[in-house]
Amino acid sequence: MVVMLAPFERWRNRWVPSTNDSQFGHFRLSSGNFYGHKEKDKGLQTTQNSRFYAISARFKPFSNKGKTLVIQYTVKHEQKMDCGGGYIKLFPADTDQKNLNGKSQYYIMFGPDICGFDIKTVHVILHFKNQYHANKKSIRCKVDSFTHLYTLILRPDLTYDVKIDGQSIESGSIEYDWQLTSLKNMEKASAEAEGWDQAAKDKSQDWEKHFLDASASKPSDWKGELDGDWQAAMLQKPPYQDGLKPEGIDKDVWLHQKMKNNYLTEYDLSEFENIGAIGLELWQVRSGTIFDNFLITDDEEYAENFGKATWGETKGPEKEMDAIQAKEEVKKAQEEDEDDMLMGRFSGRENSFKGFHGRNEL
């Protein structure tokens, strides 16, 4: 499964801007002021300062159940971001694109967020049971003005990996890094409250059945409507004990078995049933960010090769162009300073000449 969304290919037909708020900022297609390849580096660029933005693209819905999910894209804060988001969101297929806003439910929020000196983080937020759960680890994002490749990998064995520029910067267990253990304990308590009493009653009844007199038979004059259900007489039996039971199962064993049967399907944060849209829903104080090379796949190797073929090919030339522009700006500034100095000298001489001429007239 591969979903690629290259913004420069008929982008106005594929990307739908939200009309939820008339004050939403506008996107344009641009490779920026410096780039590695003028055409290949064209992406969606924010254009207005101090605005919310909301735009999305739809694709054929799919479920990643039992499969790896890889989300990858590039982001470039050409304006040297001071405060604003550079993250993407993965949405359910039934998302109302025209009404997309900050309250729209999403499955995954992933990417950099920068604001001042304190916030320079990579968000990895997952939606589960009507709540959003953030990774408890602090993952630092890039803060320079170059294009960077961000990759999130969620695996069916509940492990994950966050990469920047192809290098793993954080990885681990979804169960622990999203505090899934607390959810598991809540489920355990709920299971204990809801199911244990009935299970204990059933086990007790099963225990009783082991000591019925198997040789006994129902009396011929026994009438079910009047006498009720007939049951053989009980033989002498050991006392039934709560806790460790004669049949060999106690409360903890029962709960463990229940959780084992239901836990992974109940609490697998890496599985989403109806993925159908990707979008940018964010706020920026200073605009100019460029988003590009969107990829969703179940193949980690494919994502790695795609990153090398896109960002990997243009990252070097991009830095070279920036360095050339920087040198040209320095040269231009020096020339302007020299011109100012020459103008200052000429102006001084002119004033001196006027002063001398004035004295002769006197």
Side-chain angles (χ1 to χ4, degrees):
M1 180 274 296
V2 177
V3 178
M4 289 185 292
L5 297 99
F8 58 85
E9 295 179 352
R10 302 182 301 276
W11 76 280
R12 291 189 184 277
N13 294 330
R14 185 155 200 179
W15 291 87
V16 178
S18 174
T19 56
N20 176 267
D21 190 331
S22 61
Q23 295 301 310
F24 278 164
H26 297 293
F27 287 90
R28 69 181 176 189
L29 194 65
S30 175
S31 52
N33 295 323
F34 62 95
Y35 40 80
H37 190 285
K38 187 173 183 178
E39 293 301 318
K40 292 181 180 180
D41 282 349
K42 283 184 177 180
L44 297 176
Q45 184 180 41
T46 56
T47 63
Q48 296 169 281
N49 294 339
S50 301
R51 295 292 184 94
F52 285 99
Y53 291 85
I55 194 170
S56 62
R58 195 180 299 280
F59 46 81
K60 184 178 179 180
F62 70 93
S63 168
N64 72 309
K65 187 172 184 179
K67 297 180 180 180
T68 295
L69 178 62
V70 183
I71 305 170
Q72 185 171 277
Y73 72 109
T74 56
V75 59
K76 174 187 179 185
H77 293 312
E78 185 175 86
Q79 74 279 37
K80 294 185 179 179
M81 175 68 74
D82 52 356
C83 188
Y87 43 79
I88 62 174
K89 292 181 177 180
L90 211 59
F91 294 97
D94 59 358
T95 296
D96 182 356
Q97 291 180 276
K98 285 289 187 179
N99 197 40
L100 188 70
N101 60 81
K103 295 182 180 180
S104 299
Q105 179 195 322
Y106 61 85
Y107 284 143
I108 300 172
M109 173 174 156
F110 169 62
D113 192 12
I114 299 171
C115 197
F117 295 101
D118 298 330
I119 301 176
K120 296 179 176 66
T121 187
V122 177
H123 289 299
V124 188
I125 301 175
L126 308 178
H127 182 267
F128 177 73
K129 283 200 170 182
N130 299 318
Q131 291 185 350
Y132 294 106
H133 304 273
N135 189 307
K136 66 182 181 182
K137 292 182 177 178
S138 177
I139 308 175
R140 185 176 174 83
C141 66
K142 297 292 186 178
V143 296
D144 57 49
S145 58
F146 297 110
T147 301
H148 293 285
L149 180 70
Y150 283 82
T151 308
L152 172 64
I153 303 171
L154 301 175
R155 304 185 183 93
D157 64 356
L158 293 181
T159 61
Y160 74 97
D161 206 343
V162 175
K163 296 182 178 181
I164 299 181
D165 298 344
Q167 301 298 314
S168 178
I169 59 168
E170 193 57 77
S171 61
S173 165
I174 296 177
E175 179 175 356
Y176 295 104
D177 292 351
W178 273 264
Q179 297 180 328
L180 189 58
T181 50
S182 62
L183 294 176
K184 185 177 179 181
N185 291 334
M186 290 172 60
E187 172 66 10
K188 182 177 179 181
S190 176
E192 180 177 347
E194 295 177 5
W196 173 247
D197 291 341
Q198 182 61 44
K201 180 180 179 181
D202 293 342
K203 291 293 183 181
S204 176
Q205 291 174 350
D206 290 341
W207 178 242
E208 298 281 344
K209 292 177 183 179
H210 287 298
F211 296 93
L212 295 176
D213 186 354
S215 64
S217 60
K218 183 170 67 173
S220 59
D221 60 347
W222 188 274
K223 295 181 180 180
E225 296 109 357
L226 298 175
D227 301 324
D229 294 335
W230 179 84
Q231 182 173 299
M234 300 292 294
L235 301 174
Q236 186 177 6
K237 67 181 189 305
Y240 176 83
Q241 297 178 353
D242 192 20
L244 185 62
K245 298 169 178 55
E247 62 266 40
I249 184 168
D250 64 13
K251 198 172 194 176
D252 288 336
V253 173
W254 175 80
L255 282 172
H256 174 75
Q257 188 64 37
K258 181 178 177 68
M259 297 301 289
K260 181 180 179 182
N261 292 338
N262 299 321
Y263 173 63
L264 286 180
T265 56
E266 189 83 4
Y267 287 99
D268 191 350
L269 294 181
S270 68
E271 292 185 352
F272 303 95
E273 289 293 336
N274 193 33
I275 303 170
I278 189 171
L280 305 170
E281 189 285 308
L282 42 83
W283 159 268
Q284 290 193 340
V285 172
R286 188 186 300 173
S287 64
T289 299
I290 299 174
F291 301 85
D292 195 8
N293 300 310
F294 301 94
L295 174 69
I296 303 170
T297 181
D298 56 7
D299 190 332
E300 294 184 45
E301 184 177 358
Y302 183 91
E304 182 178 353
N305 292 333
F306 182 79
K308 291 177 180 178
T310 52
W311 170 82
E313 291 293 322
T314 59
K315 63 174 181 175
E318 179 186 73
K319 290 184 178 181
E320 291 173 4
M321 185 174 183
D322 178 64
I324 292 172
Q325 288 183 351
K327 289 180 180 179
E328 290 176 349
E329 289 175 1
V330 170
K331 183 180 179 181
K332 183 178 180 180
Q334 290 175 342
E335 291 175 349
E336 290 176 350
D337 288 343
E338 290 175 358
D339 289 343
D340 289 342
M341 290 177 65
L342 289 173
M343 288 297 294
R345 291 174 183 174
F346 177 77
S347 177
R349 289 176 180 175
E350 187 179 42
N351 290 335
S352 297
F353 176 77
K354 287 181 179 179
F356 178 78
H357 180 70
R359 285 194 296 272
N360 282 342
E361 286 183 339
L362 292 170

